[in-house]
Amino acid sequence: MEQFKMRIIEILKEDARRTPALIATMLGASEAEVAEAIRDLEKANVIVKYATVVNWAKVDDERVTALIEVQITPERGRGFDAIAERIYLYPEVKSVYLMSGAYDLLVEIEGKTLKEVASFVSNKLSPIERVLSTKTHFVLKKYKQDGIIFEDKEEDPRLLISP
């Protein structure tokens, strides 16, 4: 991919609210060139979605996030893809990754309660044919996501003493 489009992707990844006019200024290009490049990237499915990163700990909307390690037996002719597709079609599933190591898939889900997440694992995920085992990890606190730090830094109230 050409360097110009890669730079646009990096700029939008950092902040998707940046306008073509601002990006053009940052890159020393015309707004029309930037707008056309963005349209091309969207059409080619390189830019798939513009999303907002929310610090849910600051919102009165309780959510439970879990990361589930899944061991599976691959399907002949389709490998891991068929089972991954079956899993990612559930609306509570936020991400599915094929992994190397001790397990095959890493599934990220979100629910309103621990009970809801447990129900998903026991009633929907585990019964899938070819799923051998699952191991669920609950996210207790998010410190950083997509390059964004969620922690509010406390200012040191002590005075600086210099010699």
Side-chain angles (χ1 to χ4, degrees):
M1 181 169 293
E2 64 184 82
Q3 194 64 27
F4 180 66
K5 288 182 180 177
M6 283 302 296
R7 188 67 187 117
I8 291 172
I9 291 169
E10 291 168 7
I11 290 169
L12 287 173
K13 181 70 179 141
E14 192 176 296
D15 185 352
R17 295 177 298 174
R18 290 187 172 144
T19 64
L22 177 59
I23 296 169
T25 301
M26 294 169 77
L27 298 178
S30 75
E31 185 176 347
E33 288 175 305
V34 170
E36 181 182 345
I38 291 172
R39 271 193 306 277
D40 290 348
L41 291 164
E42 290 170 342
K43 219 181 279 183
N45 239 6
V46 173
I47 296 177
V48 188
K49 181 180 180 180
Y50 298 90
T52 302
V53 177
V54 177
N55 184 354
W56 289 107
K58 301 226 180 219
V59 179
D60 288 336
D61 184 22
E62 293 295 318
R63 293 178 187 238
V64 176
T65 302
L67 302 173
I68 307 164
E69 299 174 7
V70 184
Q71 284 187 312
I72 61 177
T73 303
E75 190 174 298
R76 182 180 292 267
R78 292 205 57 204
F80 297 102
D81 295 347
I83 298 153
E85 180 179 347
R86 189 156 172 207
I87 293 169
Y88 70 60
L89 289 175
Y90 286 110
E92 51 269 76
V93 173
K94 299 300 170 202
S95 304
V96 178
Y97 304 99
L98 179 61
M99 306 295 290
S100 63
Y103 53 95
D104 303 305
L105 298 176
L106 180 66
V107 178
E108 179 183 5
I109 71 162
E110 196 172 83
K112 291 192 181 292
T113 64
L114 289 172
K115 186 176 181 179
E116 190 176 289
V117 171
S119 175
F120 171 82
V121 174
S122 62
N123 297 327
K124 295 179 180 176
L125 184 59
S126 294
I128 294 174
E129 188 177 339
R130 299 187 178 277
V131 169
L132 302 174
S133 69
T134 64
K135 185 188 289 186
T136 304
H137 305 274
F138 290 98
V139 175
L140 302 178
K141 183 176 183 178
K142 284 187 185 177
Y143 293 99
K144 184 175 181 177
Q145 178 184 333
D146 293 331
I148 299 165
I149 298 170
F150 289 135
E151 285 293 297
D152 293 330
K153 295 279 185 186
E154 283 189 29
E155 293 296 321
D156 191 344
R158 299 176 295 176
L159 295 174
L160 181 64
I161 299 175
S162 59

